[in-house]
Amino acid sequence: MADNTLDVAAIKNGTNNPDDSRVIDPKPDKSIFVRVKTTLPKRPFPLNAERKAVYTERLIIRPLSKTDLPALHELRTQPEVMVWTYLGVVDKDIGETWQRLERFVEGNERENYNCAICLREEGGKMIGIGGFHDAMWSFGWPEIGYMFRREYWGRGFGKEFMRGWEGIWGGLERGVVELMVDPRSVVVVEGEGERGVVEEVVIAVTAEGNKASQRILEGSGFERFLTWEEEDGGGRGLVRLPTYRFVVGKGGR
């Protein structure tokens, strides 16, 4: 595909053994990305002050604020939480946590849609953070991530957040765009493959050992389509990364 146009016949939709994380696929390589037509939320995104909170059965999913700094620091200093992040270590001080939060507040939020995850009870206590948080897309598509305080693991809050966030993301105003994406991530719109029109996708990348996160994704309509390896940012060597996609507007594939 020297011209980087979509070749439907050449698309490999995931591994031959998508349920076997022992199968290692090549890592994303932008030199083989293909050009597709799809939809994405219009950017820049609204300011946090213009975004509305979403209420689920037990959660409030709301815009982040600089007043969330102490709660975010508590979250990011839990080793059990941070071990699953790229760096794999806790923040060394509150200044480092502010460097993370600053990207999502104070007018810097126009290129992301990250949210505070709070309880409807306990005075609206912040128990996590999640959403679209990074403009460096491994596969060419928006990527979602989330973290929860360890005290609230195993209680279904992850899936509840995902249902709320999928509604938020799906409800944003959209436009038609052309993207360069990994051909393995592509889900072709029926009857539109020759024109290069594909479904809008959200990607989630997990670590092999993070089975809880994988269960959240699989219970939220995400489909694992490959597993690849990358050097861990914390110097822990190669990490296997089961990777999922979600077809926006269709509740998954």
Side-chain angles (χ1 to χ4, degrees):
M1 287 182 284
D3 61 354
N4 287 327
T5 56
L6 179 66
D7 182 352
V8 176
I11 289 174
K12 179 187 177 187
N13 279 316
T15 69
N16 293 325
N17 298 283
D19 295 324
D20 186 353
S21 62
R22 294 172 298 179
V23 177
I24 304 302
D25 297 281
K27 65 186 299 183
D29 180 357
K30 291 187 178 181
S31 71
I32 64 168
F33 277 20
V34 295
R35 186 179 304 279
V36 298
K37 297 176 184 177
T38 188
T39 58
L40 279 183
K42 291 185 176 181
R43 293 164 69 182
F45 294 120
L47 293 168
N48 282 346
E50 300 168 352
R51 304 178 190 181
K52 295 181 179 179
V54 168
Y55 293 79
T56 64
E57 181 181 357
R58 297 175 295 171
L59 298 175
I60 306 169
I61 305 170
R62 61 163 176 79
L64 284 157
S65 164
K66 62 182 179 181
T67 61
D68 292 320
L69 180 59
L72 183 61
H73 186 63
E74 289 183 11
L75 173 67
R76 293 186 59 89
T77 51
Q78 291 191 329
E80 301 91 336
V81 174
M82 297 302 292
V83 71
W84 300 118
T85 65
Y86 176 69
L87 292 177
V89 296
V90 301
D91 289 354
K92 63 180 182 294
D93 54 38
I94 202 164
E96 185 173 357
T97 304
W98 171 246
Q99 291 177 5
R100 303 291 180 178
L101 179 61
E102 188 177 20
R103 296 182 296 161
F104 311 130
V105 298
E106 300 290 313
N108 298 325
E109 69 272 27
R110 302 301 295 272
E111 294 301 316
N112 67 74
Y113 216 104
N114 219 5
C115 306
I117 306 170
C118 307
L119 296 175
R120 296 187 68 163
E121 299 181 349
E122 298 188 38
K125 179 179 180 179
M126 179 176 161
I127 64 169
I129 185 171
F132 163 52
H133 62 96
D134 192 346
M136 301 299 292
W137 304 339
S138 301
F139 290 83
W141 298 101
E143 296 183 13
I144 185 174
Y146 44 79
M147 297 190 296
F148 288 86
R149 292 178 63 107
R150 64 174 182 267
E151 304 96 299
Y152 295 92
W153 291 359
R155 295 167 58 179
F157 288 118
K159 290 181 182 178
E160 187 170 336
F161 161 70
M162 289 297 288
R163 289 195 299 271
W165 190 83
E166 287 167 7
I168 294 170
W169 189 252
L172 294 173
E173 184 181 1
R174 281 170 159 69
V176 177
V177 298
E178 288 193 355
L179 292 180
M180 298 296 294
V181 302
D182 190 310
R184 298 169 299 176
S185 68
V186 167
V187 179
V188 177
V189 174
E190 185 175 354
E192 295 287 346
E194 295 304 319
R195 299 199 305 128
V197 180
V198 304
E199 302 282 6
E200 180 184 336
V201 168
V202 171
I203 298 293
V205 180
T206 69
E208 183 180 40
N210 196 349
K211 302 301 183 183
S213 183
Q214 292 160 32
R215 287 193 294 270
I216 289 171
L217 294 169
E218 290 163 2
S220 303
F222 280 71
E223 170 198 40
R224 187 161 71 83
F225 67 98
L226 55 77
T227 298
W228 53 295
E229 290 182 331
E230 185 172 60
E231 286 288 339
D232 176 74
R236 295 173 291 186
L238 282 175
V239 178
R240 292 185 178 182
L241 303 171
T243 301
Y244 292 75
R245 65 185 172 194
F246 177 86
V247 178
V248 177
K250 292 194 173 184
R253 188 178 177 186

